[in-house]
Amino acid sequence: DIQMTQSPSSLSASVGDRVTITCRASQNIRNYVNWYQQKPGKAPQLLIYVTSNLRSGVPSRFSGGGSGTDFTLTVGTLQPDDFATYYCQQAYSSPWTFGQGTQLEI
Amino acid sequence: EVQLVESGGGRVQPGGSLRLSCVASGFTFNDFAMHWVRHVPGKGLEWVSGISWNTDTIGYADSVRGRFTVTRDNAKNSLYLEMNSLARADTAVYYCARSPGGYSLPRFDIWGQGTLVTVSS
């Protein structure tokens, strides 16, 4: 199985900051990584797919990059609504695995 | 409105069984692969199982293979997860999720609200 390792596990930031979350795959997954945002008590929401494609309706302050084994999710200017937990997910081979999550806190 | 609504969760004793259901609305159900993903309280997300639109491809996580069975009924716009030999480690919120395209290269673009399964004596 492909392991997805996110860093950091938690991150403290302020409104207006720029933050980057990293996800490392245990093997080359080309560009098949997706990113999700989850708030407490809510279902996850897809933000970015296939490394850098912004899902319709997602603010442009979210961006993704990387390839192979190393990927990033960047939030350009943090807004109050962005404080949540973020997960990467590899879509290269089954079983489809997630990172352990990054909790973004104020 | 595009929507997925799960049901069937609850409390069950170790070794017991449950059947989860997920009803889709607002889109053409048989155009999409469907998946089950669970969230253990205080922990992360775990993909559980998936099924292609025509049931040709079905997959399971190692942790549930042989105990869980995924099915779908396209005429009823419904997805199911039959869970047997439940263990405490299966306690989680279970989500159904839609994936555009085929079974491969999944991205989960629509999720249900989740249904809580608690395995406890």
Side-chain angles (χ1 to χ4, degrees):
Chain A
D1 299 0
I2 297 173
Q3 307 302 316
M4 303 294 285
T5 304
Q6 287 182 234
S7 61
S9 296
S10 64
L11 177 59
S12 293
S14 301
V15 172
D17 285 353
R18 176 186 177 91
V19 298
T20 296
I21 298 168
T22 298
C23 185
R24 173 163 288 177
S26 59
Q27 66 182 72
N28 188 337
I29 59 171
R30 298 174 63 183
N31 63 341
Y32 296 119
V33 70
N34 306 317
W35 290 93
Y36 301 84
Q37 178 193 71
Q38 187 178 29
K39 296 180 179 179
K42 300 292 187 182
Q45 294 194 14
L46 177 67
L47 296 175
I48 289 173
Y49 60 98
V50 193
T51 295
S52 59
N53 294 276
L54 200 64
R55 183 198 180 171
S56 176
V58 173
S60 59
R61 62 181 179 273
F62 290 92
S63 62
S67 67
T69 60
D70 295 311
F71 301 90
T72 59
L73 171 71
T74 298
V75 187
T77 305
L78 276 173
Q79 299 299 305
D81 191 49
D82 300 335
F83 292 93
T85 300
Y86 294 85
Y87 295 93
C88 59
Q89 172 241 326
Q90 64 84 13
Y92 183 74
S93 72
S94 182
W96 319 113
T97 45
F98 290 85
Q100 80 279 16
T102 294
Q103 186 171 1
L104 181 53
E105 306 169 312
I106 298 175
Chain B
E1 179 189 5
V2 174
Q3 197 172 12
L4 297 170
V5 179
E6 301 99 335
S7 61
R11 182 179 295 272
V12 62
Q13 292 189 341
S17 299
L18 277 178
R19 187 192 197 211
L20 305 184
S21 299
C22 170
V23 177
S25 59
F27 64 97
T28 303
F29 184 67
N30 57 13
D31 278 351
F32 294 86
M34 296 296 296
H35 297 260
W36 290 97
V37 178
R38 66 187 180 185
H39 183 208
V40 176
K43 295 190 177 180
L45 300 172
E46 179 186 19
W47 174 80
V48 172
S49 180
I51 185 169
S52 62
W53 71 273
N54 61 358
T55 73
D56 274 2
T57 304
I58 290 175
Y60 298 97
D62 289 345
S63 59
V64 307
R65 186 176 292 111
R67 301 186 299 123
F68 290 11
T69 302
V70 63
T71 57
R72 65 187 295 163
D73 184 338
N74 288 340
K76 295 183 177 180
N77 292 338
S78 293
L79 173 74
Y80 306 99
L81 186 68
E82 188 76 37
M83 304 186 297
N84 297 316
S85 302
L86 283 162
R88 288 184 174 82
D90 297 314
T91 294
V93 176
Y94 285 73
Y95 296 100
C96 63
R98 183 185 88 166
S99 180
Y103 179 84
S104 299
L105 308 178
R107 64 179 188 269
F108 309 120
D109 70 337
I110 300 294
W111 298 64
Q113 84 286 356
T115 188
L116 176 62
V117 173
T118 302
V119 184
S120 172
S121 55

